[in-house]
Structure formats: C-alpha cells, structure tokens
Amino acid sequence: MFEYYSEKLLHSSKTDKEGKVNLLINSLKSNRIFSLKTSHKNYASKIYFYFNPKQYSSSGPLIIILLKGTTIKGVARDSNGVLLEGIEINLQTRNVYYGYNFTISTTKSKANGIFEFANVAPARISFSALGQNYILTDSKIYT
C-alpha cells in the first residue's frame, strides 16, 4: 500500500503482482512536498517525511525496499501495578524535517494490559499512551 500526504491523505494505491505501482501526483508542476508511506502486512512500514516528487519524475522509478520488522510487546499498568485494559498506545518516531513526533501505529491494551506492535522497522522510537483517567508518565526512547 502506498499513501501520500500533504496536510491530509491525498491518495492511496496498491501494488500489482510484481510489487509496482504508479503514483500520479497532479501537483508535479508545483513545489509541494509530501510525506509518502509504504506498508505491507508482512513488512515494516516505511515513511518518507520530506518527499519531493520532482526528484523522481525525470530520473527513473523510485525503488523502495521494505524490510522485515520486529515485534514490540509491552504491558500497560497504573502506578500501583494494576493491569490496564483499553489504554491507547501510540508508537512514534521523530520527524526530523518538521520537528515533532509522528505516530507510526496505534493499538489498545487488552484485558491483561498487554499491547503489541508487529512489523516495526528499525528506528528511534518512543511511545505515548492515553486512557480514561490515565496518561503516560514514564517513557523511554529506543533505538
């Protein structure tokens, strides 16, 4: 799946059997910069935050190679160690071009507090969490 964004989702396309896709970006004549996200259920998603279509319009096809990802599992607990169900957990990476954290994926903790993210690409990541009467108070950045 290929998606590209300006301030919002502008287009979404699927690849053919050979893994190829044609993205027709109508604003090639403009100086717009996009975010381009690629994803596949068996591979880690890849995000290009500062994608300029003009760079690729005359230099041939853009080749993107998706990598196998890893699984990240965790447990949501309150300050007393009680397991929490239904907490929204966001997996984030830093967008170096715009200077803010970009959410890669979101999930909710199950009844036993466990949450899981599959096919995560190697990157510097962090987490944010939110639930009824709860906010994340302890988080680390992982590389």
Side-chain angles (χ1 to χ4, degrees):
M1 175 72 71
F2 286 82
E3 301 172 338
Y4 64 91
Y5 301 79
S6 185
E7 288 86 33
K8 61 181 181 174
L9 177 64
L10 298 174
H11 181 75
S12 179
S13 295
K14 290 187 177 185
T15 60
D16 62 18
K17 291 179 183 178
E18 296 176 353
K20 296 179 182 178
V21 65
N22 285 320
L23 294 178
L24 300 175
I25 301 174
N26 295 328
S27 58
L28 281 177
K29 295 177 183 174
S30 75
N31 289 323
R32 285 180 89 175
I33 303 299
F34 299 90
S35 292
L36 177 67
K37 178 181 179 184
T38 61
S39 60
H40 184 279
K41 66 180 180 176
N42 298 324
Y43 294 89
S45 295
K46 195 167 195 176
I47 301 170
Y48 297 86
F49 289 111
Y50 194 75
F51 178 75
N52 184 346
K54 285 186 175 183
Q55 288 180 279
Y56 302 99
S57 61
S58 62
S59 64
L62 168 65
I63 297 172
I64 298 172
I65 299 172
L66 296 179
L67 302 172
K68 289 285 187 180
T70 190
T71 299
I72 297 174
K73 295 180 181 181
V75 179
R77 301 175 190 267
D78 70 8
S79 58
N80 295 317
V82 176
L83 300 172
L84 298 174
E85 177 181 6
I87 301 296
E88 181 178 291
I89 313 288
N90 298 301
L91 177 65
Q92 301 175 321
T93 188
R94 185 83 174 155
N95 181 322
V96 295
Y97 296 104
Y98 300 115
Y100 60 86
N101 286 343
F102 183 83
T103 299
I104 299 169
S105 185
T106 299
T107 191
K108 288 195 175 194
S109 59
K110 304 209 181 320
N112 56 3
I114 292 177
F115 62 90
E116 179 178 314
F117 294 98
N119 294 317
V120 178
R124 186 178 174 130
I125 58 169
S126 62
F127 300 93
S128 67
L130 184 64
Q132 186 174 359
N133 301 320
Y134 295 98
I135 59 170
L136 179 69
T137 58
D138 183 27
S139 181
K140 297 176 184 169
I141 295 176
Y142 301 87
T143 54

